């Protein structure tokens, strides 16, 4: 067995051991050596409750992605409105300057007695003065035409700025409504999930955690059994190492929807900030990360790559090597290490491709 294979085998074994140890610890807490009580007729099993809670939190994750996207778009629109406002001020200043120039020309004509330039030219006794005067007339006419054209263009620009600002305000309001709708959905889903958990006795709550870990362990084991880890042998880029270092340093911090650190994170808040720390700005949400970042095959992924989970791309984690990833799981959980295959993988994307 080569050095790389031994390292990967040790890493996979360590992760498997970590999962198994966690399961044993919870089993010891709950006394699962004893038979679990039979559920009452018609009552939901604890596994059904777990699945329902998982689905509620996943729906909350989808709504969180929508909220975060609306928030980032609203920030961009606000910045655009500020830029338009600056352009309007500059345009108004330009109009003022042009009007002052036009006023100066009118005053100069008044001082000359108001006589049209053509008449002044006709009264000239000198041919050279005639020619010089004709040239000045042409220059003056061009200057006047240019002045009027510039004033018209500036006025037109101001009208367009007003339209652009109005359109941005409409988008901003639409995103505000989207944010409020998503926030309501998030809070409702989390409240429903917490309500389900609150009705459980302490022993059942501990058993629920064990069922959650067992489901993840089963999925991870199935993923590893395909032999996929034998194909994953790419090394992290320098930027990827920095992103992994940042993500690893956040372990133990709580999940809070919409959070981007430094004290708490949601799933895409963690991955986007990790890559920002590595010097690479990436989209804020898992769905936008999937849509805009280059995709790579699972067998080609390397530490620092982002793993997008579920069909709706509602969750994301960062691959750290040896079949493991770091993620912010859900409300009530902390940033942690988990199996890269512990959830259904939709795609892998690479921020620094």
């Amino acid at each position: 067995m080569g050095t790389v294979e031994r390292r990967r085998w040790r890493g996979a074994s360590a992760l498997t051991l970590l999962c198994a140890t966690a399961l044993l610890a919870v089993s010891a807490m709950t006394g699962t050596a004893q038979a679990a009580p039979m559920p009452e007729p018609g009552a939901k099993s604890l596994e059904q409750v777990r699945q329902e809670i998982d689905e509620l939190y996943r729906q909350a994750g989808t709504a969180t992605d929508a909220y975060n996207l609306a928030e980032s778009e609203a920030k961009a629109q606000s910045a655009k409105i500020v830029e338009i406002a600056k352009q309007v001020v500059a345009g108004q200043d330009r109009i003022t300057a042009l009007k002052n120039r036009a006023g100066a020309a009118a005053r100069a004509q008044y001082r000359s007695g108001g006589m049209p330039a053509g008449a002044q030219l006709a009264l000239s006794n000198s041919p050279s003065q005639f020619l010089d005067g004709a040239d000045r007339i042409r220059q003056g006419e061009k200057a006047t035409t240019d002045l009027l054209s510039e004033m018209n263009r500036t006025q037109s620009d101001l009208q367009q700025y007003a339209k652009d600002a109005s359109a941005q305000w409409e988008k901003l309001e639409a995103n505000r409504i989207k944010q409020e709708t998503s926030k309501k959905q998030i809070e409702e889903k989390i409240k429903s999930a917490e309500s389900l958990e609150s009705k459980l006795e302490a022993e059942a709550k501990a058993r629920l955690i064990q069922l959650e870990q067992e489901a993840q362990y089963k999925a991870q084991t199935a993923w590893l059994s395909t032999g996929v880890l034998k194909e994953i042998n790419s090394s992290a880029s320098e930027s990827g190492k920095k992103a992994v270092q940042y993500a690893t340093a956040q372990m133990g911090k709580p999940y809070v929807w919409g959070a981007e650190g430094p004290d708490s994170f949601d799933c895409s808040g963690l991955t986007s900030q990790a890559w920002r720390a590595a010097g690479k700005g990436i989209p804020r949400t898992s769905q936008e990360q999937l849509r805009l970042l280059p995709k790579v095959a699972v067998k080609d992924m390397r530490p620092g790559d982002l793993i997008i989970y579920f069909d709706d791309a509602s969750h994301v984690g960062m691959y750290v090597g040896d079949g493991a990833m770091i993620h912010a799981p859900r409300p009530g959980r902390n940033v942690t290490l988990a199996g890269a295959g512990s959830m259904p993988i939709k795609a892998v994307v690479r921020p620094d491709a």
Side-chain angles (χ1 to χ4, degrees), residues 201-215:
E201 298 293 336
E203 183 178 338
K205 287 181 180 179
R207 174 61 180 157
L208 191 69
I209 295 174
Q210 183 184 9
L211 288 174
E212 180 182 306
Q213 293 174 338
E214 285 175 352

Side-chain angles (χ1 to χ4, degrees), residues 156-213:
S156 179
D157 287 345
L158 288 174
Q159 291 174 355
Q160 186 59 50
Y161 295 154
K163 291 180 182 178
D164 291 345
S166 178
Q168 292 298 328
W169 276 115
E170 288 177 4
K171 290 180 181 178
L172 193 63
E173 177 62 13
N175 274 308
R176 183 189 66 78
I177 294 172
K178 281 168 58 178
Q179 279 181 274
E180 289 182 354
T181 301
S182 296
K183 181 179 180 181
K184 185 178 180 181
Q185 291 174 344
I186 295 164
E187 291 173 341
E188 286 176 350
K189 299 299 182 184
I190 292 176
K191 185 177 180 181
S192 297
E194 290 175 343
S195 177
L196 283 173
E197 287 189 272
S198 69
K199 294 175 182 176
L200 300 174
E201 298 293 336
E203 183 178 338
K205 287 181 180 179
R207 174 61 180 157
L208 191 69
I209 295 174
Q210 183 184 9
L211 288 174
E212 180 182 306
Q213 293 174 338

Side-chain angles (χ1 to χ4, degrees), residues 10-25:
R10 285 198 302 270
S13 299
L15 184 60
T16 302
L17 181 61
L18 176 65
C19 295
T21 302
L23 292 176
L24 290 172

